[in-house]
Coordinates of all heavy atoms in Angstrom, one line a residue:
M548 N 118.4 87.7 83.4 CA 119.5 88.5 83.8 C 119.4 89.9 83.2 O 119.1 90.0 81.9 CB 120.8 87.8 83.5 CG 121.9 88.6 84.1 SD 123.5 87.7 83.9 CE 123.4 86.5 85.2
Y549 N 119.8 90.9 83.9 CA 119.8 92.3 83.3 C 121.1 92.8 83.3 O 122.0 92.7 84.2 CB 118.9 93.1 84.3 CG 118.6 94.6 83.8 CD1 117.6 94.8 83.0 CD2 119.4 95.6 84.2 CE1 117.3 96.1 82.6 CE2 119.3 96.8 83.7 CZ 118.2 97.1 82.9 OH 117.9 98.4 82.5
H550 N 121.6 93.4 82.2 CA 122.8 94.1 82.1 C 122.8 95.5 81.8 O 122.0 95.9 81.0 CB 123.6 93.4 80.8 CG 124.0 91.9 81.1 ND1 125.1 91.6 81.8 CD2 123.4 90.8 80.7 CE1 125.1 90.3 81.8 NE2 124.2 89.8 81.2
E551 N 123.5 96.3 82.5 CA 123.5 97.7 82.4 C 124.9 98.1 82.4 O 125.7 97.8 83.2 CB 122.8 98.3 83.5 CG 122.8 99.9 83.4 CD 121.8 100.4 82.4 OE1 120.9 99.7 82.1 OE2 122.0 101.5 81.9
Y552 N 125.4 98.9 81.4 CA 126.8 99.3 81.2 C 126.9 100.7 81.2 O 126.0 101.4 80.7 CB 127.4 98.7 79.8 CG 127.4 97.2 79.9 CD1 126.4 96.5 79.2 CD2 128.3 96.5 80.6 CE1 126.3 95.1 79.3 CE2 128.3 95.1 80.6 CZ 127.3 94.5 79.9 OH 127.3 93.1 79.9
G553 N 127.9 101.2 81.9 CA 128.1 102.7 82.0 C 129.5 103.0 81.7 O 130.3 102.2 81.5
R554 N 129.8 104.4 81.6 CA 131.1 104.9 81.2 C 131.8 105.0 82.6 O 131.3 105.4 83.5 CB 130.9 106.2 80.6 CG 132.1 107.0 80.1 CD 131.6 108.1 79.4 NE 130.9 109.1 80.0 CZ 131.4 110.2 80.7 NH1 132.7 110.3 80.9 NH2 130.6 111.0 81.4
V555 N 133.1 104.6 82.5 CA 133.9 104.8 83.7 C 134.6 106.1 83.6 O 135.4 106.4 82.7 CB 135.0 103.7 83.8 CG1 135.8 103.7 85.0 CG2 134.2 102.3 84.0
N556 N 134.5 107.0 84.7 CA 135.2 108.3 84.7 C 136.4 108.2 85.7 O 136.4 107.4 86.7 CB 134.3 109.3 85.4 CG 132.9 109.6 84.5 OD1 133.1 109.5 83.3 ND2 131.9 109.8 85.1
S557 N 137.5 108.9 85.3 CA 138.7 108.9 86.2 C 138.4 109.8 87.4 O 138.9 109.5 88.5 CB 139.8 109.3 85.4 OG 139.7 110.6 84.9
Q558 N 137.5 110.8 87.3 CA 137.2 111.6 88.4 C 135.7 111.5 88.6 O 134.9 111.6 87.8 CB 137.4 113.1 88.0 CG 138.8 113.5 87.8 CD 139.5 113.8 89.1 OE1 138.9 114.0 90.1 NE2 140.9 113.8 89.1
P559 N 135.4 111.2 89.9 CA 133.9 111.0 90.2 C 133.1 112.2 90.1 O 133.7 113.4 90.6 CB 133.9 110.4 91.7 CG 135.3 110.4 92.2 CD 136.2 110.8 91.0
D560 N 132.0 112.2 89.5 CA 131.1 113.4 89.4 C 130.2 113.4 90.7 O 130.3 112.5 91.5 CB 130.2 113.3 88.1 CG 130.9 113.3 86.9 OD1 132.0 113.9 86.8 OD2 130.4 112.7 86.0
T561 N 129.6 114.6 90.9 CA 128.7 114.6 92.0 C 127.4 115.2 91.6 O 127.3 115.8 90.5 CB 129.2 115.6 93.2 OG1 129.4 116.8 92.5 CG2 130.5 115.2 93.8
T562 N 126.4 114.8 92.2 CA 125.0 115.2 91.9 C 124.3 115.7 93.3 O 124.7 115.3 94.3 CB 124.1 114.1 91.2 OG1 122.9 114.7 90.9 CG2 123.8 113.0 92.2
V563 N 123.4 116.7 93.1 CA 122.7 117.1 94.3 C 121.3 116.6 94.2 O 120.5 116.7 93.4 CB 122.7 118.7 94.3 CG1 121.9 119.3 95.5 CG2 124.1 119.4 94.2
T564 N 121.1 115.9 95.4 CA 119.8 115.3 95.7 C 119.2 115.7 97.0 O 119.8 115.4 97.9 CB 119.8 113.8 95.5 OG1 120.3 113.5 94.3 CG2 118.4 113.1 95.7
D565 N 118.1 116.4 97.0 CA 117.4 116.9 98.4 C 118.5 117.7 99.2 O 118.6 117.5 100.4 CB 116.9 115.6 99.1 CG 115.8 114.9 98.5 OD1 115.2 115.5 97.6 OD2 115.7 113.8 98.7
G566 N 119.3 118.4 98.6 CA 120.3 119.3 99.2 C 121.6 118.6 99.6 O 122.5 119.1 100.1
A567 N 121.6 117.2 99.4 CA 122.9 116.5 99.7 C 123.7 116.2 98.5 O 123.1 116.0 97.4 CB 122.5 115.2 100.5
T568 N 124.9 116.2 98.5 CA 125.8 116.0 97.5 C 126.3 114.4 97.6 O 126.9 114.1 98.6 CB 127.0 116.8 97.5 OG1 126.7 118.2 97.4 CG2 127.9 116.5 96.3
L569 N 125.9 113.6 96.6 CA 126.3 112.3 96.5 C 127.3 112.1 95.5 O 127.3 112.5 94.3 CB 125.0 111.5 96.1 CG 123.8 111.4 97.1 CD1 122.6 110.7 96.4 CD2 124.3 110.8 98.3
P570 N 128.2 111.3 95.8 CA 129.3 110.9 94.9 C 128.8 110.0 93.8 O 128.0 109.2 94.0 CB 130.4 110.2 95.7 CG 129.8 109.7 97.0 CD 128.6 110.7 97.1
K571 N 129.2 110.3 92.6 CA 128.7 109.4 91.5 C 129.8 108.5 91.1 O 130.4 108.5 89.9 CB 128.2 110.3 90.2 CG 126.9 111.2 90.6 CD 126.4 111.7 89.4 CE 125.2 110.8 89.0 NZ 124.5 111.0 87.9
E572 N 130.2 107.7 91.9 CA 131.3 106.8 91.6 C 130.7 105.5 90.9 O 129.7 104.9 91.2 CB 131.8 106.2 93.0 CG 132.5 107.2 93.8 CD 133.1 106.7 95.0 OE1 134.1 105.8 94.9 OE2 132.7 107.1 96.1
V573 N 131.4 105.2 89.7 CA 131.0 104.0 88.9 C 131.7 102.9 89.5 O 133.0 102.8 89.7 CB 131.4 104.3 87.5 CG1 131.2 103.1 86.7 CG2 130.7 105.5 86.9
K574 N 131.0 101.8 89.8 CA 131.5 100.6 90.4 C 130.8 99.3 89.7 O 129.7 99.6 89.2 CB 131.3 100.5 91.9 CG 132.1 101.6 92.5 CD 132.1 101.4 94.0 CE 133.0 102.5 94.7 NZ 133.2 102.4 96.1
V575 N 131.4 98.2 89.8 CA 130.7 97.0 89.3 C 130.3 96.2 90.4 O 130.9 96.0 91.4 CB 131.7 96.2 88.5 CG1 131.2 94.9 87.9 CG2 132.3 97.0 87.2
I576 N 129.1 95.6 90.3 CA 128.5 94.9 91.3 C 127.6 93.8 90.8 O 127.0 93.9 89.7 CB 127.6 95.9 92.2 CG1 127.3 95.3 93.6 CG2 126.4 96.4 91.5 CD1 126.8 96.3 94.5
D577 N 127.6 92.6 91.3 CA 127.0 91.5 90.8 C 126.1 90.8 92.0 O 126.5 90.7 93.1 CB 128.0 90.3 90.3 CG 128.7 90.8 89.1 OD1 128.1 90.9 88.1 OD2 130.0 91.1 89.3
F578 N 124.9 90.3 91.5 CA 124.0 89.6 92.4 C 123.5 88.4 91.7 O 123.2 88.4 90.6 CB 122.8 90.5 92.8 CG 123.2 91.8 93.5 CD1 123.2 93.0 92.8 CD2 123.6 91.9 94.8 CE1 123.5 94.2 93.3 CE2 123.9 93.0 95.4 CZ 123.8 94.2 94.7
E579 N 123.5 87.3 92.5 CA 122.9 86.0 91.8 C 121.9 85.4 92.9 O 122.2 85.1 94.0 CB 124.1 85.0 91.8 CG 123.6 83.8 91.0 CD 123.2 84.0 89.6 OE1 123.9 84.8 88.9 OE2 122.2 83.4 89.1
Q580 N 120.7 85.5 92.5 CA 119.5 85.1 93.3 C 119.7 85.6 94.7 O 119.5 84.9 95.7 CB 119.4 83.6 93.3 CG 119.0 83.1 91.9 CD 118.9 81.6 92.0 OE1 119.5 80.8 92.7 NE2 118.1 81.1 91.1
A581 N 119.9 87.0 94.8 CA 120.0 87.6 96.3 C 118.7 88.3 96.6 O 118.0 88.8 95.7 CB 121.1 88.7 96.1
S582 N 118.5 88.2 97.8 CA 117.2 88.9 98.4 C 117.4 90.3 98.3 O 118.6 90.9 98.2 CB 116.9 88.4 99.8 OG 117.9 89.0 100.7
L583 N 116.3 91.2 98.3 CA 116.5 92.6 98.3 C 117.2 93.1 99.5 O 118.0 94.1 99.4 CB 115.1 93.2 98.2 CG 115.1 94.8 98.0 CD1 115.8 95.2 96.8 CD2 113.6 95.2 98.0
A584 N 117.1 92.5 100.6 CA 117.9 92.9 101.9 C 119.4 92.8 101.7 O 120.1 93.7 102.0 CB 117.4 92.0 103.1
E585 N 119.8 91.7 100.9 CA 121.2 91.6 100.6 C 121.6 92.5 99.6 O 122.8 93.1 99.8 CB 121.4 90.1 100.1 CG 121.2 88.9 101.0 CD 121.4 87.6 100.2 OE1 122.5 87.2 99.9 OE2 120.4 86.9 100.0
V586 N 120.8 92.8 98.7 CA 121.1 93.8 97.7 C 121.4 95.1 98.3 O 122.4 95.9 98.1 CB 120.1 93.8 96.5 CG1 120.3 94.9 95.5 CG2 120.1 92.5 95.8
V587 N 120.3 95.6 99.0 CA 120.4 96.9 99.7 C 121.7 97.0 100.7 O 122.4 98.0 100.5 CB 119.1 97.1 100.5 CG1 119.3 98.4 101.5 CG2 118.0 97.3 99.5
A588 N 121.9 96.0 101.3 CA 123.1 96.0 102.3 C 124.4 96.1 101.5 O 125.3 96.8 101.8 CB 123.1 94.7 103.2
T589 N 124.5 95.4 100.3 CA 125.7 95.4 99.6 C 125.9 96.7 98.9 O 126.9 97.3 98.8 CB 125.7 94.3 98.3 OG1 125.5 93.0 99.1 CG2 126.9 94.4 97.6
I590 N 124.8 97.3 98.4 CA 124.8 98.7 97.8 C 125.4 99.7 98.8 O 126.1 100.5 98.5 CB 123.5 99.2 97.2 CG1 123.1 98.3 96.0 CG2 123.4 100.6 96.9 CD1 121.6 98.4 95.5
E591 N 124.8 99.6 100.0 CA 125.2 100.6 101.1 C 126.6 100.5 101.4 O 127.3 101.5 101.6 CB 124.2 100.4 102.3 CG 122.8 100.8 102.1 CD 121.9 100.7 103.3 OE1 122.2 99.7 104.1 OE2 120.9 101.4 103.3
T592 N 127.2 99.2 101.4 CA 128.6 99.1 101.8 C 129.5 99.4 100.6 O 130.5 100.1 100.9 CB 128.8 97.5 102.1 OG1 127.9 97.2 103.2 CG2 130.3 97.3 102.4
V593 N 129.2 98.9 99.5 CA 130.0 99.2 98.3 C 130.1 100.6 98.0 O 131.2 101.2 97.7 CB 129.6 98.3 97.1 CG1 130.3 98.8 95.8 CG2 129.8 96.9 97.3
Y594 N 129.0 101.4 97.9 CA 128.9 102.7 97.5 C 129.0 103.8 98.7 O 129.1 104.9 98.4 CB 127.7 103.0 96.7 CG 127.6 102.4 95.3 CD1 126.9 101.1 95.2 CD2 128.2 102.9 94.2 CE1 127.0 100.6 93.8 CE2 128.3 102.3 92.9 CZ 127.6 101.2 92.8 OH 127.5 100.6 91.6
D595 N 128.9 103.2 99.9 CA 129.0 104.1 101.1 C 127.8 105.1 101.1 O 128.1 106.3 101.3 CB 130.3 104.7 101.2 CG 130.5 105.4 102.6 OD1 130.0 104.7 103.6 OD2 131.2 106.4 102.8
V596 N 126.6 104.6 100.9 CA 125.5 105.5 100.9 C 124.3 104.8 101.6 O 124.6 103.6 102.2 CB 124.9 105.6 99.4 CG1 125.8 106.4 98.5 CG2 124.5 104.3 98.7
K597 N 123.3 105.4 101.8 CA 122.1 104.8 102.5 C 120.9 104.7 101.5 O 120.7 105.6 100.7 CB 121.6 105.7 103.6 CG 120.4 105.2 104.3 CD 120.3 105.7 105.7 CE 119.0 105.3 106.4 NZ 118.3 104.0 106.0
V598 N 120.3 103.5 101.5 CA 119.2 103.3 100.6 C 117.9 103.4 101.4 O 117.8 102.8 102.4 CB 119.2 101.9 100.0 CG1 118.0 101.7 99.0 CG2 120.5 101.7 99.2
D599 N 117.1 104.4 100.9 CA 115.8 104.8 101.6 C 114.7 104.2 101.0 O 114.7 103.8 99.8 CB 115.7 106.4 101.6 CG 116.9 107.0 102.3 OD1 117.3 106.6 103.5 OD2 117.5 107.9 101.7
N600 N 113.5 104.1 101.8 CA 112.2 103.6 101.2 C 112.4 102.2 100.8 O 111.7 101.8 99.7 CB 111.7 104.6 100.2 CG 110.3 104.6 100.1 OD1 109.6 104.2 101.0 ND2 109.8 104.8 98.8
V601 N 113.0 101.3 101.5 CA 113.1 99.9 101.1 C 111.8 99.2 101.6 O 111.4 99.5 102.8 CB 114.3 99.3 101.9 CG1 114.4 97.7 101.6 CG2 115.6 100.0 101.5
P602 N 111.3 98.4 100.8 CA 110.0 97.8 101.2 C 110.2 96.9 102.4 O 111.2 96.3 102.5 CB 109.7 96.8 100.0 CG 110.4 97.5 98.8 CD 111.6 98.1 99.4
E603 N 109.1 96.8 103.2 CA 109.3 95.9 104.4 C 109.4 94.5 104.2 O 110.1 93.9 104.9 CB 107.9 96.2 105.3 CG 107.9 97.6 105.9 CD 106.7 97.8 106.8 OE1 106.2 96.8 107.3 OE2 106.3 98.9 107.0
Q604 N 108.8 94.0 103.1 CA 108.9 92.6 102.8 C 110.0 92.3 101.8 O 109.7 91.9 100.7 CB 107.5 92.2 102.2 CG 106.4 92.3 103.1 CD 106.6 91.6 104.4 OE1 107.1 90.4 104.5 NE2 106.0 92.1 105.5
T605 N 111.3 92.5 102.3 CA 112.4 92.4 101.3 C 112.5 90.9 100.9 O 113.1 90.6 99.8 CB 113.7 92.8 102.0 OG1 113.8 92.0 103.1 CG2 113.7 94.2 102.2
A606 N 112.0 89.9 101.6 CA 112.1 88.5 101.3 C 111.2 88.2 100.0 O 111.5 87.2 99.4 CB 111.6 87.6 102.4
D607 N 110.3 89.1 99.7 CA 109.4 88.9 98.5 C 110.2 89.2 97.2 O 109.6 88.9 96.2 CB 108.2 89.8 98.7 CG 107.2 89.4 99.8 OD1 107.4 88.3 100.3 OD2 106.3 90.1 100.1
Y608 N 111.3 89.8 97.3 CA 112.0 90.2 96.2 C 113.3 89.4 96.1 O 114.0 89.3 97.0 CB 112.3 91.7 96.1 CG 111.1 92.6 96.2 CD1 110.7 93.0 97.5 CD2 110.4 93.0 95.0 CE1 109.5 93.8 97.5 CE2 109.3 93.8 95.1 CZ 108.9 94.1 96.4 OH 107.8 95.1 96.5
E609 N 113.7 89.0 94.9 CA 115.0 88.4 94.6 C 115.6 88.8 93.3 O 114.9 89.0 92.3 CB 114.8 86.8 94.5 CG 116.0 86.1 94.5 CD 115.7 84.6 94.6 OE1 115.7 84.1 95.7 OE2 115.6 84.0 93.4
L610 N 117.0 89.1 93.2 CA 117.5 89.7 92.0 C 118.8 88.9 91.6 O 119.4 88.4 92.5 CB 118.0 91.2 92.3 CG 117.0 92.2 92.4 CD1 117.5 93.5 93.0 CD2 116.3 92.4 91.0
S611 N 119.0 88.8 90.3 CA 120.2 88.3 89.7 C 120.5 89.3 88.7 O 119.7 89.6 87.8 CB 120.1 86.9 89.1 OG 119.8 86.0 90.1
L612 N 121.7 90.0 88.9 CA 122.1 91.1 87.9 C 123.6 91.3 88.0 O 124.3 91.2 89.0 CB 121.3 92.3 87.9 CG 121.3 93.1 89.2 CD1 122.4 94.2 89.2 CD2 119.9 93.8 89.4
H613 N 124.0 91.9 86.9 CA 125.5 92.4 86.8 C 125.3 93.9 86.5 O 124.5 94.2 85.6 CB 126.3 91.7 85.6 CG 127.6 92.4 85.4 ND1 128.7 92.2 86.1 CD2 127.9 93.4 84.5 CE1 129.6 93.0 85.7 NE2 129.2 93.7 84.6
Y614 N 125.9 94.8 87.2 CA 125.7 96.2 87.0 C 127.0 96.9 87.1 O 127.8 96.7 88.0 CB 124.7 96.7 88.1 CG 124.3 98.1 87.7 CD1 123.3 98.5 86.9 CD2 124.9 99.2 88.4 CE1 123.0 99.8 86.5 CE2 124.7 100.5 88.1 CZ 123.7 100.8 87.1 OH 123.4 102.1 86.9
E615 N 127.2 97.9 86.2 CA 128.4 98.8 86.3 C 127.7 100.2 86.2 O 127.1 100.6 85.3 CB 129.3 98.5 85.2 CG 130.5 99.5 85.2 CD 131.6 99.2 84.1 OE1 131.4 98.1 83.5 OE2 132.5 100.0 83.9
G616 N 127.9 101.0 87.3 CA 127.4 102.4 87.3 C 127.5 102.9 88.7 O 128.1 102.4 89.6
T617 N 126.6 104.0 88.9 CA 126.5 104.6 90.2 C 125.4 104.0 91.1 O 124.5 103.3 90.6 CB 126.2 106.1 89.9 OG1 124.9 106.3 89.5 CG2 127.3 106.9 89.1
A618 N 125.5 104.3 92.3 CA 124.5 103.8 93.2 C 123.1 104.2 92.9 O 122.1 103.5 92.9 CB 124.8 104.1 94.7
E619 N 123.0 105.5 92.6 CA 121.7 106.1 92.3 C 121.1 105.5 91.0 O 119.9 105.1 91.0 CB 121.9 107.6 92.1 CG 120.7 108.4 92.0 CD 121.0 109.9 92.2 OE1 122.0 110.3 91.8 OE2 120.0 110.6 92.6
D620 N 121.9 105.2 90.0 CA 121.4 104.7 88.8 C 121.1 103.1 89.0 O 120.0 102.7 88.5 CB 122.5 104.7 87.7 CG 122.7 106.1 87.1 OD1 121.8 107.0 87.3 OD2 123.7 106.3 86.5
L621 N 121.8 102.5 89.9 CA 121.6 101.0 90.1 C 120.2 101.0 90.9 O 119.3 100.1 90.5 CB 122.6 100.5 91.0 CG 122.4 99.1 91.6 CD1 122.0 98.1 90.4 CD2 123.6 98.6 92.4
V622 N 119.9 101.9 91.8 CA 118.7 101.8 92.5 C 117.5 102.1 91.6 O 116.5 101.5 91.7 CB 118.8 102.7 93.8 CG1 117.4 102.9 94.4 CG2 119.7 102.2 94.8
N623 N 117.7 103.1 90.7 CA 116.7 103.4 89.7 C 116.4 102.2 88.9 O 115.2 101.9 88.4 CB 117.0 104.6 88.8 CG 117.0 105.9 89.7 OD1 116.2 106.0 90.6 ND2 117.8 106.9 89.3
V624 N 117.4 101.4 88.5 CA 117.2 100.2 87.6 C 116.4 99.1 88.5 O 115.5 98.5 87.9 CB 118.6 99.6 87.1 CG1 118.4 98.3 86.6 CG2 119.2 100.5 86.2
I625 N 116.8 99.0 89.7 CA 116.1 98.1 90.6 C 114.6 98.4 90.8 O 113.7 97.6 90.7 CB 116.8 98.0 92.0 CG1 118.2 97.2 91.7 CG2 116.0 97.1 92.9 CD1 119.1 97.3 92.9
N626 N 114.4 99.8 90.9 CA 113.0 100.2 91.0 C 112.2 99.9 89.8 O 111.1 99.4 89.8 CB 113.1 101.8 91.2 CG 113.4 102.2 92.6 OD1 113.3 101.5 93.5 ND2 114.0 103.4 92.7
D627 N 112.9 100.0 88.6 CA 112.2 99.7 87.3 C 111.8 98.2 87.3 O 110.8 97.8 86.8 CB 113.1 100.1 86.1 CG 113.1 101.6 85.9 OD1 112.2 102.4 86.5 OD2 114.0 102.1 85.2
I628 N 112.9 97.4 87.7 CA 112.6 95.9 87.6 C 111.5 95.5 88.6 O 110.7 94.7 88.2 CB 114.0 95.3 87.9 CG1 115.0 95.5 86.8 CG2 113.8 93.7 88.0 CD1 116.3 95.0 87.1
L629 N 111.6 96.0 89.8 CA 110.8 95.4 90.9 C 109.5 96.3 91.2 O 108.6 95.8 91.9 CB 111.6 95.3 92.2 CG 112.8 94.5 92.2 CD1 113.5 94.5 93.5 CD2 112.5 93.0 91.8
G630 N 109.5 97.5 90.6 CA 108.3 98.3 90.8 C 108.3 98.9 92.2 O 107.3 99.2 92.7
T631 N 109.5 99.1 92.7 CA 109.7 99.7 94.1 C 109.9 101.2 93.8 O 110.0 101.8 92.7 CB 110.8 99.2 94.8 OG1 112.0 99.2 94.0 CG2 110.6 97.7 95.2
D632 N 110.1 102.0 94.9 CA 110.3 103.3 95.0 C 111.5 103.8 95.9 O 111.3 104.6 96.7 CB 109.0 104.2 95.3 CG 109.1 105.6 95.1 OD1 109.9 106.0 94.1 OD2 108.4 106.4 95.8
M633 N 112.5 103.0 95.8 CA 113.6 103.4 96.7 C 114.5 104.6 96.2 O 114.4 104.9 95.0 CB 114.6 102.1 96.8 CG 113.9 100.8 97.4 SD 115.0 99.5 97.5 CE 115.3 99.1 95.8
S634 N 115.3 105.2 97.0 CA 116.2 106.2 96.7 C 117.5 106.1 97.4 O 117.6 105.3 98.4 CB 115.5 107.6 97.1 OG 115.2 107.7 98.4
V635 N 118.5 107.0 97.1 CA 119.8 106.9 97.6 C 120.1 108.2 98.3 O 119.7 109.3 97.8 CB 120.9 106.7 96.6 CG1 122.2 106.7 97.2 CG2 120.5 105.4 95.9
S636 N 120.6 108.2 99.6 CA 121.0 109.4 100.2 C 122.4 109.2 100.9 O 122.8 108.1 100.9 CB 120.0 109.7 101.3 OG 119.9 108.7 102.3
E637 N 122.9 110.3 101.3 CA 124.2 110.2 102.0 C 124.1 109.5 103.3 O 123.1 109.6 104.0 CB 124.8 111.7 102.3 CG 126.1 111.9 101.8 CD 126.5 113.4 102.1 OE1 126.7 113.7 103.3 OE2 126.6 114.1 101.1
K638 N 125.2 108.7 103.7 CA 125.2 108.1 105.0 C 125.3 109.0 106.2 O 125.9 109.9 106.1 CB 126.4 107.1 105.0 CG 125.9 105.6 104.9 CD 127.0 104.7 105.2 CE 126.6 103.2 105.0 NZ 127.5 102.4 105.1

């Protein structure tokens, strides 16, 4: 199991990625033996973002983790764990 803890801000920060401004909302999210497809769908729903460059074989990946942070940071952690190259963009 992987634990990542972040600081909770009262005002969301923003960051600029590829010309788009993404909200840096800190949220808590948990997965227990979830497929990558489930993880991506949950991230997109909870953070109201789009996850890009998702591997075609999502069934080959399974995650169990508790995370508190931004969508961008969460996807970067997942990339480190699974060796993927996903990114986050505005919906």
Side-chain angles (χ1 to χ4, degrees):
M548 183 175 282
Y549 188 87
H550 291 279
E551 180 74 25
Y552 298 97
R554 175 173 67 90
V555 177
N556 296 326
S557 59
Q558 293 278 345
D560 294 329
T561 58
T562 186
V563 177
T564 305
D565 297 334
T568 302
L569 295 172
K571 292 196 101 178
E572 296 180 64
V573 174
K574 298 190 179 186
V575 176
I576 196 164
D577 291 289
F578 301 104
E579 187 65 40
Q580 295 182 331
S582 71
L583 186 56
E585 292 174 73
V586 171
V587 168
T589 302
I590 292 169
E591 291 179 335
T592 300
V593 169
Y594 290 99
D595 195 30
V596 295
K597 176 154 178 29
V598 178
D599 302 307
N600 202 26
V601 178
E603 290 183 24
Q604 301 299 325
T605 57
D607 293 346
Y608 301 95
E609 189 174 273
L610 286 169
S611 293
L612 62 91
H613 168 83
Y614 187 83
E615 182 177 347
T617 66
E619 197 169 21
D620 291 341
L621 173 55
V622 168
N623 287 333
V624 168
I625 293 170
N626 285 336
D627 288 344
I628 293 169
L629 300 179
T631 55
D632 192 29
M633 298 181 293
S634 61
V635 177
S636 64
E637 227 177 74
K638 253 188 181 176

